[in-house]
Amino acid sequence: MPNAADILVETLIAWEVKVVFGLPGDGINGIMEALRKRQDQIRFVQVRHEESAAFMACAYAKFTGKLGVCLATSGPGGTHLLTGLYDAKLDQMPVLAITGMQYHDLIETFTQQDVDLTRVFDNVAIYNAHVSDAGHMENLASLACRSALAKRGVAHLSIASDTQEMEEQSRSKRNQPRHVPNRYFAGRQLPNDDELDRAAQILNGAGKVAILAGRGALGAHEELTETAELLAAPVAKALLGKAVLADNDPYTTGGIGILGTAPSQAIMEQCDAVLIVGSTFPYIEYYPKPASARGVQIDSDPQRIGLRFPVEAGLVGDARETLRLLNSRLTRKTDRSFLEQTQSAMAGWRSKMAMLENNESAPLKPAAVVRAFGRRIAQDGVLVADSGQNTELAARHVDLDIGNQFAVSGALASMASGLPYAIAAGIADPQRPIYAVVGDGGLGMQMGEFSTAVRHNLPLKLLVICNGMLNQIAWEQMMFLGNPQFACELAPIDFAKAAEAMGGRGFTIRQFEEIESVLDEAFSCEGPVIIQAHVDQYVPMIPPKMPKDYARNFRKALPGTPGHEAIEANVERAPLREMINAGEK
């Protein structure tokens, strides 16, 4: 007779779960045994830290569209999952977290690792339950999977260690066996005709339409392109939507926000209508002024309609099908001047970025390395970035095509997510090459996880920007509050040697002249590779158009900031000088 752990794993298999990320522990021994017995049907990927398991489950859901699953033992094992689970919550990814507990009759008696994880997970989970016995497990395991997928969030099951080994004798008479179907039922969600007509009226009547596309627009490339063509509308991309359109697409202005482009900011300032497709990009200050533009939004979640901008038409539905319905109501604009002016501005922006990328001066400039790294990404490659200045570098200096995938910790913007994301991409599809751009701060947090990439021989090329600083935090201290940089310096780590010590390959770049030859050698290697680039720590992270208060704070903070002479020398070079000066006028 199957026990509760057997029922759990059989349920996961029925729900077509292929991978569970986690770390063994005594609080989940029963589940580990159930997984061991079914290795031919479901794969267990051992990580070095439970936080990584949750990041991997989130990233796996992003890359595959399927349920991500992570597993941790009682007490600290469970609490370690939280950061990665909040990543899933904030980016609306379906993830099931399974945690162990101490013996059921010792809970709340101050025994070892006596942490009530259902209470701990109450804020992060949309479904959160403690399993009482084997009969209960049959119902809860299926409902947890369904809830995570239906609500696009985190479901959590907490199971006492002895409960995992309980058999079904305790089933109540009302709880009939196999009354739960282990499959997901999905349907089409389409907007109402009157909302579509209202949206078309707004967009057809506008003279300058800007589009903001996010992750929800992935898979709608052709429809979004048709919309942009009909409306003569430039398309700004939220970071999670980087792969929605190719970065060299004539309709796109690239990223938006502090990591974005000046043309993206300009179209939001100049448009008289904005169409938001599959995005709740959080920085409201980069949207159009509500009084200056009308709004239309497409989102599969009605709760998110109007979250950032007071739209007049809200189209609730899948982006691809909704755009198709909307396009049939749009009239092609004959005045293409807004789009053409924006395309000219994008050519100018690309020239400015090329100046940064071709700067041969010492110390080595980070944009030069990232651009060269990005040029080597395969057409079907997957790119991930960590959180920090490396995110800005990947967003601005790596051009992706439609065949690429991109992922990052979005709304949570957590450091230490990049390497786990990359590993999840490799586990999801071992045939696709994987690339990562990370910082020395984030990689230092979860460096040991590189051994997981080595263990699975993943085709990973990881570029770590070594500037010896928590650089984004340093610039935030200066720009946001006008305070001198403090406590952001990092102790050095030789990541190339660490890669070799863990069984991978490691390479180092210190000068502009070394970039091409070192990258050629690194990219010729099979298996996981770390390329550390020692770059100028005094290159500032400048918004595309520096707000006046940022520019004022920056100038105020400079005199008391270590290395301010080097910072001043960098910002006096084009194009950083123009980007700073734009905020001081």
Side-chain angles (χ1 to χ4, degrees):
M1 182 176 291
N3 60 27
D6 292 324
I7 293 169
L8 170 63
V9 176
E10 289 288 350
T11 302
L12 295 180
I13 293 168
W15 278 87
E16 300 182 348
V17 172
K18 303 298 183 186
V19 183
V20 176
F21 301 96
L23 196 64
D26 64 337
I28 50 170
N29 277 339
I31 299 168
M32 292 303 301
E33 174 61 10
L35 288 166
R36 185 193 68 80
K37 292 187 295 186
R38 295 165 179 83
Q39 295 176 70
D40 59 332
Q41 297 172 276
I42 189 168
R43 184 180 182 187
F44 180 75
V45 174
Q46 183 211 83
V47 300
R48 302 303 292 259
H49 193 293
E50 290 93 349
E51 180 180 287
S52 294
F55 275 133
M56 290 178 195
C58 176
Y60 185 89
K62 287 182 177 181
F63 289 125
T64 66
K66 299 177 180 178
L67 181 66
V69 181
C70 55
L71 174 66
T73 191
S74 54
T79 58
H80 281 163
L81 292 175
L82 281 171
T83 301
L85 295 181
Y86 272 103
D87 188 38
K89 174 184 176 175
L90 269 62
D91 282 354
Q92 298 179 279
M93 289 297 109
V95 168
L96 171 62
I98 302 165
T99 62
M101 286 282 285
Q102 290 304 307
Y103 292 108
H104 81 280
D105 55 357
L106 292 178
I107 294 172
E108 301 292 359
T109 66
F110 310 113
T111 191
Q112 188 180 36
Q113 296 188 343
D114 192 3
V115 178
D116 187 343
L117 293 173
T118 53
R119 292 184 193 173
V120 172
F121 283 41
D122 193 53
N123 179 258
V124 77
I126 49 90
Y127 183 82
N128 187 16
H130 178 79
V131 181
S132 62
D133 58 30
H136 200 205
M137 176 67 84
E138 182 181 323
N139 304 332
L140 264 55
S142 184
L143 185 53
C145 294
R146 191 184 317 281
S147 298
L149 290 163
K151 300 290 187 180
R152 298 192 60 79
V154 175
H156 170 235
L157 293 177
S158 176
I159 315 155
S161 57
D162 55 332
T163 299
Q164 296 166 32
E165 299 181 49
M166 288 183 181
E167 296 182 349
E168 291 190 89
Q169 296 94 329
S170 60
R171 181 187 292 272
S172 67
K173 63 182 180 180
R174 185 170 290 175
N175 183 17
Q176 294 295 313
R178 291 173 293 283
H179 74 267
V180 177
N182 286 319
R183 55 165 293 207
Y184 185 58
F185 300 92
R188 297 171 67 216
Q189 189 177 33
L190 298 175
N192 297 328
D193 285 342
D194 59 343
E195 286 295 318
L196 283 162
D197 292 339
R198 185 179 295 111
Q201 178 268 324
I202 292 169
L203 298 171
N204 285 331
K208 299 177 179 179
V209 180
I211 298 174
L212 171 59
R215 191 180 191 283
L218 290 173
H221 166 257
E222 292 182 7
E223 292 76 13
L224 183 63
T225 301
E226 183 181 358
T227 307
E229 158 62 22
L230 289 167
L231 295 173
V235 182
K237 299 186 293 184
L239 184 60
L240 292 180
K242 182 172 173 65
V244 167
L245 294 178
D247 282 310
N248 62 1
D249 190 290
Y251 288 105
T252 189
T253 57
I256 188 171
I258 196 170
L259 310 179
T261 73
S264 287
Q265 190 161 342
I267 65 172
M268 293 297 162
E269 293 172 351
Q270 298 167 12
C271 70
D272 57 5
V274 61
L275 170 61
I276 304 166
V277 185
S279 177
T280 49
F281 170 69
Y283 297 101
I284 296 172
E285 63 269 29
Y286 288 96
Y287 286 79
K289 295 289 188 293
S292 66
R294 305 179 73 184
V296 176
Q297 184 172 356
I298 298 171
D299 204 288
S300 60
D301 182 358
Q303 186 183 31
R304 301 228 159 194
I305 299 285
L307 191 60
R308 313 289 185 214
F309 190 82
V311 297
E312 298 175 51
L315 308 180
V316 180
D318 169 77
R320 184 177 184 183
E321 292 201 56
T322 300
L323 284 172
R324 195 175 296 157
L325 293 170
L326 178 62
N327 289 343
S328 68
R329 291 167 164 83
L330 297 178
T331 302
R332 188 180 188 275
K333 293 190 183 297
T334 56
D335 183 354
R336 322 292 287 182
S337 58
F338 184 53
L339 175 62
E340 290 165 357
Q341 290 165 8
T342 301
Q343 289 171 332
S344 177
M346 270 306 290
W349 173 263
R350 290 189 177 106
S351 295
K352 289 181 178 180
M353 294 301 101
M355 293 173 67
L356 295 173
E357 295 158 2
N358 296 323
N359 186 338
E360 300 182 21
S361 65
L364 177 64
K365 300 301 181 279
V369 182
V370 174
R371 182 64 174 176
F373 181 84
R375 284 198 304 268
R376 289 166 165 79
I377 292 177
Q379 288 186 332
D380 64 340
V382 179
L383 173 66
V384 304
D386 210 297
S387 295
Q389 189 176 27
N390 63 88
T391 323
E392 176 242 352
L393 293 166
R396 287 181 176 172
H397 300 290
V398 176
D399 284 348
L400 297 183
D401 211 335
I402 288 304
N404 296 125
Q405 278 187 290
F406 174 76
V408 68
S409 173
L412 188 65
S414 174
M415 291 175 66
S417 59
L419 180 53
Y421 265 52
I423 292 169
I427 296 296
D429 188 349
Q431 304 307 312
R432 294 184 73 172
I434 314 152
Y435 309 89
V437 178
V438 303
D440 47 1
L443 184 58
M445 290 180 172
Q446 290 282 32
M447 182 172 59
E449 215 62 72
F450 186 74
S451 66
T452 306
V454 172
R455 181 176 193 170
H456 296 281
N457 196 33
L458 300 181
L460 169 63
K461 304 295 182 289
L462 186 147
L463 174 65
V464 53
I465 304 300
C466 294
N467 49 32
M469 292 277 286
L470 298 170
N471 236 23
Q472 181 169 341
I473 297 170
W475 301 118
E476 287 170 347
Q477 289 176 347
M478 299 170 71
M479 291 191 300
F480 291 178
L481 297 176
N483 297 329
Q485 180 272 116
F486 176 68
C488 293
E489 299 90 345
L490 297 171
I493 297 173
D494 191 327
F495 293 103
K497 285 185 177 178
E500 300 278 355
M502 287 184 272
R505 297 292 305 276
F507 296 87
T508 302
I509 301 173
R510 297 182 185 276
Q511 302 175 45
F512 185 92
E513 296 76 17
E514 297 173 338
I515 292 174
E516 296 298 328
S517 60
V518 172
L519 288 179
D520 283 346
E521 185 179 0
F523 273 66
S524 70
C525 298
E526 295 185 0
V529 173
I530 287 180
I531 307 145
Q532 60 179 358
H534 290 280
V535 303
D536 188 349
Q537 67 179 202
Y538 299 119
V539 174
M541 195 178 94
I542 302 296
K545 180 180 176 182
M546 183 82 103
K548 289 184 178 180
D549 58 334
Y550 283 19
R552 184 173 57 251
N553 289 339
F554 182 68
R555 293 299 182 188
K556 174 187 171 186
L558 264 178
T561 294
H564 65 89
E565 297 93 345
I567 298 172
E568 289 168 351
N570 277 320
V571 299
E572 282 306 309
R573 295 191 181 100
L576 297 183
R577 180 177 62 248
E578 291 87 347
M579 294 165 72
I580 291 259
N581 290 344
E584 295 180 326
K585 293 178 181 177

